[in-house]
Amino acid sequence: MLDRRFIVENAELVKRNCANRGARIDVDRFVELEQSRKARLIEVEELNHKANEVSKSIGKAKDQAERESRKEQGRQLRQQTQDAQAKLDSVAAELDELLRQIPNLSHPDSPIGADDKSNLELFRGKTPLPEFDFQPLDHVELAEKLDLVDFEAGANVAGHGFYFLKNDAVLLELALQRYAIETLMGEGFTPVTTPDLARNEILAGIGFIPRGPETQIYSVENTDLSLIATAEITLGGMLAGQTLDAESLPKQLCGISHCFRTEAGAHGRATRGLYRVHQFTKIEMFVFTLPEESDAMLDRLREIECRLFDGLEIPYRVVDTATGDLGGPAYRKFDLEAWMPGRGEFGEVTSASNCTDYQARRLNIRYRVKGEKGTRFLHTLNGTAIAVSRALIALLENHQQADGSIIIPEALRSWMGKERIAGWPR
RNA sequence: GGAUGGGUGGCCGAGUGGUCUAAGGCGGCGGUCUUGAAAACCGCUGUGGGCGAGAGUCCACCGGGGGUUCGAAUCCCUCCCCAUCCGCCA
């Protein structure tokens, strides 16, 4: 969320930003409520002050009669305080509701537009689009012929959108994880495996809405826990409530987790195969930085993603995400979209965001500069290293051969233990 | 899951209803002394917020939330977390 005072002092800017992002928020109402909140806060503080004075005087009162009269005075003041506090609370609650809906500011270079149609292609990866001298198959057909994925069993066990990986697909998943982790460790990231569940409070701090008809989140009945949609949630939550020394930044984590998504309302749209599934494994980067370093760090995350996909020899394009497609927390977002021959189009495989202090303010993560008074909110960034299910699609479809085999890119061979998934006679 | 003991400032730790304005120590910062340093001594040293041009002043904060009371770190309820033991278990 944004700083309250900033919103009041920059109401026009915030309004314009909300419009660019397609967020319908009554910013004027917010400003009005914030002013009212301050007035009520002053009232409560003054009453508290008076009541504190009275309470202190009781201990020093000289006789019983005086004590009793002061007590009565105290009772009245406390009653008034309570009434004033109730008014303050109700204003604050409405204000907070609004505040949480206001999206982050946007980077001046982010393309302005209502949705992903306005996303701006920046450049392409090193690998050219494949040219097949045979009719290429999509990953679902390939997986079936090579016995790599069992969608039917997944559906029987857990429903549509679930699947079993089998045989070389399992080795590929492990190889992809190892490849990503080794690369990131080389970049100074600390590898972690994270819980696959988190408290709803943490989900909300990162910017997810755990309940409601539109939610992407599976929640666990009779608890305040949800299945995580990304390790961003747990990695960001790892330091919730903490104040770090500036010298300890940046803190770079990479987490392996499963990701669970209900995909509510997504039916009928790209639901074939592994593209839009309810569960997948993902290696995620998460970074806590100083504010002045977050822009450069976002570029770095994007570069790492490019290196990972160049290494996998998968063609992709890099996209600068339009304001209307940024979601709530992101200030700027770059996606990598891999070429997927089966779909005949590019499909999102990674996403890197600079969330500036938006998540840090919600999660109360601060830093302290040696010799300076007070603390400030740090910046958080996240980026996909490898989302296994979508990386699998791109790998299988781009590296398929005329004989039905799949060539394993050089970078994965040592982890995979082979250079080819054997095919079948076409 | 059950039992017991805990959670206090950057860290350790005292504090069981009213000068708590949270003792004391460690660490940190500044000073005295010294050629310099150490030691010793002296002083300062939390976070968030309100009002104020500022000096300053007020409010809140002792794991989170709620309650009792004129008054809560202290009493009550509840949740979370930590430690130890028991049970279950890969």
Side-chain angles (χ1 to χ4, degrees), chain A residues 261-362:
Chain A
R261 303 186 180 184
T262 63
E263 300 295 351
H267 287 292
R269 191 156 60 91
T271 51
R272 179 171 160 83
L274 289 172
Y275 193 77
R276 196 174 294 282
V277 288
H278 291 311
Q279 177 183 335
F280 57 95
T281 306
K282 180 157 63 71
I283 296 88
E284 176 82 355
M285 305 179 278
F286 198 95
V287 185
F288 303 88
T289 70
L290 295 172
E292 56 269 30
E293 289 171 359
S294 66
D295 274 334
M297 183 57 75
L298 181 64
D299 289 342
R300 187 164 130 76
L301 295 186
R302 188 188 69 192
E303 280 163 26
I304 291 171
E305 291 176 351
C306 288
R307 210 175 324 141
L308 285 167
F309 278 82
D310 285 334
L312 294 176
E313 296 165 49
I314 291 172
Y316 62 87
R317 66 180 184 190
V318 177
V319 159
D320 196 344
T321 304
T323 49
D325 200 27
L326 283 172
Y331 169 75
R332 194 177 201 190
K333 182 188 285 189
F334 295 119
D335 288 353
L336 261 64
E337 298 179 347
W339 178 248
M340 297 182 175
R343 292 156 55 90
E345 58 183 15
F346 288 93
E348 182 181 332
V349 283
T350 75
S351 183
S353 303
N354 179 2
C355 296
T356 62
D357 59 1
Y358 192 87
Q359 294 174 328
R361 186 171 279 111
R362 289 186 179 215

Side-chain angles (χ1 to χ4, degrees), chain A residues 100 197-221 223-229 233 260-264 362:
Chain A
R100 284 182 173 271
L197 284 82
R199 292 185 204 290
N200 291 330
E201 179 192 336
I202 299 289
L203 288 260
I206 292 291
F208 286 84
I209 303 152
R211 299 194 194 277
E214 294 287 294
T215 188
Q216 271 275 46
I217 301 292
Y218 288 103
S219 53
V220 180
E221 205 175 1
T223 72
D224 65 343
L225 293 171
S226 295
L227 296 177
I228 59 172
I233 292 166
F260 302 89
R261 303 186 180 184
T262 63
E263 300 295 351
R362 289 186 179 215

Side-chain angles (χ1 to χ4, degrees), chain A residues 25-40:
Chain A
I25 311 282
D26 191 343
V27 177
D28 290 328
R29 173 76 179 149
F30 180 90
V31 172
E32 187 188 311
L33 279 169
E34 174 63 6
Q35 275 148 5
S36 153
R37 186 186 71 91
K38 272 200 186 155
R40 288 166 197 280

